[in-house]
Amino acid sequence: MGQTLTEKILDDHLVEGELETGEEIGIEIDQVLTQDTTGTMVWLQFEAMGLDEVQTELAAQYCDHQTYQFDFKNTDDHRFLRSAAGTFGAHFSRPGNGICHNVHRENFAAPGKTLLGSDSHTPTPGGLGQLAIGAGGIDITVAMGGAPYYIEMPEIVNVRLEGELPEWATAKDVILEMLRRLTVKGGVGKILEYTGPGAESLTAPERMTITNMGTELGATSSIFPTDEETRDYLERVGREDEYVELQPDDDAEYDDEIVVDLGELEPLIATPSMPDNVVPVSEVAGADVDQVIIGSCTNGAYEDILPVAKMLEGREIAKTTEMIVAPGSKQASEILAREGWVAEMMAAGVNFSEATCGACIGIGHVPASNSVSLRTFNRNFEGRSGIEDDNVYLCSPEVAAAAALAGEIVDPRDLADELEGLEDPGFELPDEYDGSKADLIAPEEAVDDELVKGPNIGDVPIREELSADVSGEALLKMGDNITTDHIIPATQDILMYRSNVPKLSEFTLSRVDDTFAERAMEAGGGFLVAGENYGQGSSREHAALCPMYLGIEGVLAQSFARIHRANLFNFGIVPLTIDEDTYDAIEQGDEIEIVDDVYEAVTAGQEEFTVRVNGEEEFTTTLDASQRERDILAAGGKLSWTRAQAEETAGEGASPADD
Ligand code: MIC
Ligand code: SF4
């Protein structure tokens, strides 16, 4: 039987298990990436594990999320990260050099390689045929130490693209259409493999907009086969020799198939406040727009900004609207500046920003009260922009630019009818991505050889072994689709404590209930109760680490998002799946008790756990986990487990010599 492209890459990297859907597999990781807000924990854990040198082919540390350095704590983090990259052997990308996914695809992403990154949008270079997966920080640490990455073999879905994009429809509309159809949980447990003539018709950067935002579907990863478009992109970034031809076999068997006819797409928009609230732009046309932002790892590349610049050339944006362009990489800014496009945009009224994530997580350009913001980003979770009752829409750069010109949401096709000379700007790559590499420090150029820790860099908290008795209060009951932005927001006031877990923990779930952290501390632990898709969104392990610090022992949810579920195991919190009746029956404040010797049952492979509520009613819950995950959970998390493993191996290694 033929293989899918994903199976081929997995097969090439397989060190344990079989490629059977649902089975746990261990794969070798070639490249890792981390960024400033997850990276500090990655390296602190690297140090705590006693590791001293990166073992993967390549590791890259980016500083991209909080580059304005509002507080010395941010700058201390960046300083620590440079010292860690230098000390342990990773590439270092200075603050302002760009968003990790953009800089990585320009400099390191390679077809056929595996990439693991502590950021949920790590799958971006899937558009270049790289198998890239987002994970929690400690999974990156362990992979950098040379260990395989373990994952449940996902279903592989063939997304067959037919036809070609019509005028004014873009790659962003392809992924918005996928979100409209599948919702934010439709990709959980799946890798989406794009094929067909429509896939061939897209350039590599367009493919990367789609693979980037596959994360919003909850997918493990998204990938395209390689072809002349891939080669063309690699040639333009000066790495043509890294091209490898990769295609699924003609008789490859997929678990499912979705067909999207590109020819039928039109400009789409995700309305507040979920990326899957997708409608045609025309449906919301006429709404006043106060702010427009072009940027992010989804649509912040040179190729995404150029169409905007062309649309704005010789025009001015509406007086009622502010427009910000925040490029995904400094290289994009540099090329646009050399070509004169930055000046054109400035003349049109654009506020041109440094290359950063920034506004995407509410750091800078926070919208005004009761205002509408149109962004080319990937997430519009409520409050993520930095103001609680925000109205953030997600759309293509073309739709965003049209709104800036009109001062209201408008279908760019209608605006083109109105504005003389306004044409679909098309999609163009620069001849060469020839920006400076001054902000990249290769391991051999390292300027530090020891860790530099400012006062904000704390210790890594460690949980004790799982106990036999797990009981406590249901401290908080939440609904469906709770995001990690609810659990630990990434806005500036909170983000600066990412390296200081005791302080950061004070903000845990504050967006849902600002008394939570205090109540949890007072109670000395307890449970969280949630509906479907708990923990969707980012990879931030702090969303498990902080509840762990507050003493949370278990989460009862109808379903979990993939990365967050792994993070719960990694920090020793028991994730139990409940059905709808159980969810309905449990109230906040109820006393919960797991009626088993939990340590014994977890390690013995028991799947069903009885949960007693208020000493009376009993419900059956499920722990769906591999033996490895169970052992990690029982050990109190991945740090303790990995240390114990290392001691065991050292012990075994020592005994023959002792004899
Ligand atoms: C995000 O888009 O939410 C982030 C900020 O990039 C996160 C990482 C983090 O929280 O540090 C992600 O996507 O994993
Ligand atoms: Fe940065 Fe936003 Fe991309 Fe996350 S989604 S990496 S915050 S640009």
Side-chain angles (χ1 to χ4, degrees), residues 35-39 64-65 99-101 117-122 134-135 215-216 297 357 360-361 378-379 381 384 484-485 488-490 495 498 537-542 563:
Q35 38 90 340
D36 49 354
T37 55
T38 53
D64 49 356
H65 282 67
I99 303 173
C100 54
H101 312 299
S118 62
D119 191 281
S120 64
H121 291 98
T122 299
T215 297
E216 276 47 68
C297 55
C357 294
C360 184
I361 38 171
N378 48 42
R379 290 184 171 146
F381 303 142
R384 181 173 159 101
T484 53
D485 282 314
I488 279 291
L495 190 82
R498 283 281 179 103
S538 90
S539 67
R540 69 190 71 137
E541 63 190 357
H542 301 81
I563 305 179

Side-chain angles (χ1 to χ4, degrees), residues 93-400:
S93 174
R94 279 203 286 232
N97 191 37
I99 303 173
C100 54
H101 312 299
N102 291 64
V103 183
H104 199 82
R105 81 190 213 188
E106 288 167 356
N107 291 280
F108 305 118
K113 301 271 183 196
T114 51
L115 165 68
L116 196 70
S118 62
D119 191 281
S120 64
H121 291 98
T122 299
T124 309
L128 287 176
Q130 176 159 44
L131 187 64
I133 301 176
I138 197 161
D139 286 326
I140 309 308
T141 310
V142 171
M144 270 201 305
Y149 175 61
Y150 291 89
I151 190 173
E152 200 173 279
M153 177 66 190
E155 283 179 27
I156 318 267
V157 179
N158 180 11
V159 186
R160 205 180 145 72
L161 303 182
E162 306 279 0
E164 280 190 27
L165 287 170
E167 277 205 338
W168 295 106
T170 67
K172 183 65 160 277
D173 301 308
V174 178
I175 191 64
L176 287 175
E177 171 66 11
M178 289 289 287
L179 278 152
R180 193 185 67 76
R181 291 195 200 179
L182 299 187
T183 80
V184 289
K185 53 184 196 315
V188 177
K190 297 175 183 163
I191 291 187
L192 307 177
E193 204 171 301
Y194 289 82
T195 63
E200 282 166 28
S201 74
L202 299 170
T203 61
E206 287 172 295
R207 295 173 189 176
M208 286 191 271
T209 290
I210 297 171
T211 46
N212 169 283
M213 210 172 160
T215 297
E216 276 47 68
L217 294 162
T220 302
S221 192
S222 305
I223 192 164
F224 279 73
T226 64
D227 56 15
E228 281 315 303
E229 290 295 340
T230 326
R231 187 201 294 278
D232 177 70
Y233 181 81
L234 286 170
E235 197 179 328
R236 290 174 203 249
V237 294
R239 298 189 288 118
E240 197 197 353
D241 53 334
E242 292 177 31
Y243 177 74
V244 185
E245 185 169 340
L246 293 166
Q247 294 283 334
D249 290 328
D250 290 340
D251 57 346
E253 272 188 32
Y254 290 91
D255 292 298
D256 201 359
E257 185 178 83
I258 297 168
V259 180
V260 179
D261 184 350
L262 302 188
E264 283 177 10
L265 292 181
E266 59 175 319
L268 298 172
I269 193 162
T271 62
S273 291
M274 219 22 100
D276 60 3
N277 286 341
V278 176
V279 298
V281 173
S282 50
E283 227 172 81
V284 283
D288 288 341
V289 174
D290 303 75
Q291 184 192 56
V292 168
I293 313 186
I294 313 288
S296 88
C297 55
T298 309
N299 277 131
Y302 168 94
E303 311 79 39
D304 299 307
I305 300 172
L306 184 63
V308 173
K310 288 182 182 169
M311 286 173 71
L312 298 186
E313 189 179 9
R315 301 190 167 92
E316 276 184 17
I317 61 167
K319 296 283 186 221
T320 47
T321 309
E322 285 176 19
M323 183 173 192
I324 298 106
V325 173
S329 71
K330 199 192 244 185
Q331 168 155 259
S333 314
E334 191 186 329
I335 305 173
L336 288 162
R338 287 189 200 283
E339 292 177 349
W341 290 112
V342 175
E344 284 301 339
M345 287 188 278
M346 284 179 165
V350 163
N351 173 1
F352 202 82
S353 152
E354 67 181 83
T356 183
C357 294
C360 184
I361 38 171
I363 295 179
H365 307 295
V366 176
S369 309
N370 299 317
S371 70
V372 167
S373 178
L374 245 68
R375 300 167 168 212
T376 64
F377 303 175
N378 48 42
R379 290 184 171 146
N380 59 346
F381 303 142
E382 197 179 16
R384 181 173 159 101
S385 68
I387 177 167
E388 220 35 60
D389 297 319
D390 53 9
N391 283 299
V392 176
Y393 292 72
L394 308 172
C395 59
S396 68
E398 287 79 350
V399 171

Side-chain angles (χ1 to χ4, degrees), residues 413-436:
R413 294 170 300 183
D414 294 336
L415 190 68
D417 288 342
E418 251 175 62
L419 269 189
E420 217 191 299
L422 184 68
E423 283 174 9
D424 179 347
F427 197 81
E428 233 183 284
L429 280 62
D431 292 339
E432 232 185 307
Y433 291 83
D434 53 0
S436 154

